[in-house]
Amino acid sequence: MSKELIRLADCVMAFDDEIVLDKINLSIQDKEFLTLLGPSGCGKTTTLRIIGGFQTPTSGDVLFDGVRINSVPPHKRTINTVFQKYALFPHLNVYENIAFGLRIPKADASGKKVRLPEEEIDRRVMEMLEVVNLRGFEKRRTTQLSGGQQQRVAIARALVNRPKVLLLDEPLGALDLKLRKDMQNELKRIQKAMEITFVYVTHDQEEALAMSDTVVVMDGGKIQQIGSPEDIYNEPKNAFVADFIGESNIIDGIMRADGVVEIFNRRFQCLDGGFARDEEVDVVIRPEDVDIVPEDQGQLKGTVTSVTFKGMQYDIIVDFYGFKWLIQTTDLSPVGSRIGIKIDPDGIHVMKKSEYSGMFGDYSSYSEEYEEISDASYALDEEESGDEE
Amino acid sequence: MKNKLSWFAVPYVVWMALMVVIPILIMVVYAFTTAEFEGTVENFSEMGAYASVFLRSFRLAIIATLVCLLIGYPVAYWMAHEGPGFQRVAMALIMLPMWMNFLLRTYSWMSILENNGLLNQFFRSVRLVDVYNQIALHFAADPALYKPTDYIPMIGTSGAVVLGMVYNYLPFMILPIYSVILKLDHSLLEAARDLGADSAGVFRKVILPLSLPGVLSGVTMVFVPSVSTFAISRLLGGGTQMMLGDLIEQQFLGGAYDPHLGAAISMVMMVIVVLCMVVMNHFGEGEEQAVML
Ligand SMILES: Nc1ncnc2c1ncn2[C@@H]1O[C@H](COP(=O)(O)OP(=O)(O)OP(=O)(O)O)[C@@H](O)[C@H]1O
Ligand SMILES: [Mg+2]
């Protein structure tokens, strides 16, 4: 039942010879919640602006419902935007901000410009105020609203026009954590209720995983991976994605056979295959997929070099043959203790080598950051401060 | 909002008292006394004789302000949309005349507008004067009595006075509007487009209302000096276009020496101007107040 609504085909965006988007290919399905995720400056806003019509790609096509819309201006697209800084009109109150789009005469079927009757405008604005929980705020000036309220006005102002697509550029960036979570649920609810395609921009991976049907991971103007949140998390395509989505240990490995990968000269069972024999690969091991066992039962043995209490679990850094791993565990292993680890086959993800290999997934610097803290809190339990050299 | 006076404000308060409050008090005292400093309201009751000067002053000032607005707004808008290099040059061109002495500028206009001045020489050479004669003849009350001229009368008309004021005060209209438009948040314009407004709609519904504070302060900064202008009206109006500024000047420095009447006229003018400003600022209520003075 899903049908393609928007397609970016080989979209390149260059500003003064600096290539900001490099051959982006993206298909957005009708009624889906798609998130563009990536670090600052990777081209998320630029991609959104191309879809919204504020920027024309240097080359490539933008298709909407199969029709090329490269040069259709924003006001002629059935797409609305929630801007990164809301961009509410300071000279209008909440009601008039939301009514802005409705008050603009639209061409009807015969091409004649018609205005919505005032009662219709009023009904729809009030309905939207209900949706975003802002009843009673109609007469307020937008400058007198809190960040979260402004945010909701911006959403209402866009949604009241019943767009086919809503573009949201880091809409929750300015909110505190609690409000962020509430608004995430709120947005998800609105998207389901109104059956509108959302294209959402964020650099917060947790937010992306929690809200999206499809996540598009971007870096350096290129799409690194497109997939469902589960795919992206469980089957990262390269070291960048693995590192950006959640915490991961990324280790050099060699594929000895289908389902057998060698790390630190030890062979591990895994579920991946299809690599050349003895191909060098990147191996991703999520911190929560590692089981701590007594040293003599471990597949690998190492020394705990730092412990950080995180509420739900401990983050411990373990030194294996000079390479430091992050492991999340609910059992406390004190600094300096020797432990063994076991990894189930489904906890090991093998990736092809990429330009990102060797850049991520080492926690050496991380452990140093926390060493002092962990020394202070756990030195008591230790016979001697067993820190490594 | 309560403003607590801090010690830093003291020099400012003293200055304001010496340079603003006391002079106004002196003016009020003069306005309500005779030459022998006995209380009277005669200065005001006599003023009816000058009603025509009052009317002309306000009429010409309003016309000059409107012309400044009609020219200034588009210029400011256009400047704000050009690149920074262009903006610097345009700014310099606008400021340049202001570095020249005000009287010098006005004298230059005299020599341009005179019956035998630069413009009329040009008009004669392209035979525009003949065209003018044709038109004037057509509209003359009694064509038989119409005597053709060899110049187009410009100096000595109210048009010349308005031209002089527009020329002198136009920068005060352009600059505040320009700076407001320049500071407009670009994302607001994109938001308006996003919501379906075409270029005209974006201008009418966003740019215009948001630049109103600039318009308001521009109008104030042109209107106030225009109402009280002198010299321009005398030099370009050729004595036929006396305005309030000239009238007041005469009472203090000129032949009709009567500082008490002069003070009374000044006071009435001030009150009317302040009333105008209050009414105008009321239109922009809520927005930043136009900067007065
Ligand atoms: N108008 C422009 N002219 C020149 N360079 C631009 C322009 N707009 C964006 N860029 C450049 O394009 C790159 C991508 O910008 P973009 O705004 O798309 O990043 P982003 O992913 O949205 O980042 P952020 O998370 O910080 O908002 C940046 O390096 C930026 O400097
Ligand atoms: Mg951005």
Side-chain angles (χ1 to χ4, degrees), chain B residues 227-245:
Chain B
V227 172
S228 56
T229 198
F230 65 108
I232 295 181
S233 42
R234 204 179 58 224
L235 297 174
L236 298 181
T240 64
Q241 304 291 330
M242 186 194 260
M243 288 181 60
L244 278 174

Side-chain angles (χ1 to χ4, degrees), chain B residues 61 165 169 172 219-230 243:
Chain B
M165 294 197 285
Y169 304 132
F172 300 115
V219 166
T220 312
M221 278 162 48
V222 171
F223 181 70
V224 173
S226 294
V227 172
S228 56
T229 198
F230 65 108
M243 288 181 60

Side-chain angles (χ1 to χ4, degrees), chain A residues 49 75 80-81 88 91 161, chain B residues 188 190 193-195 197 205:
Chain A
R49 289 172 62 82
H75 64 279
N80 284 116
T81 309
L88 299 179
H91 59 297
N161 304 294
Chain B
L188 292 180
E190 289 194 340
R193 281 207 159 257
D194 186 75
L195 294 167
K205 297 186 137 198

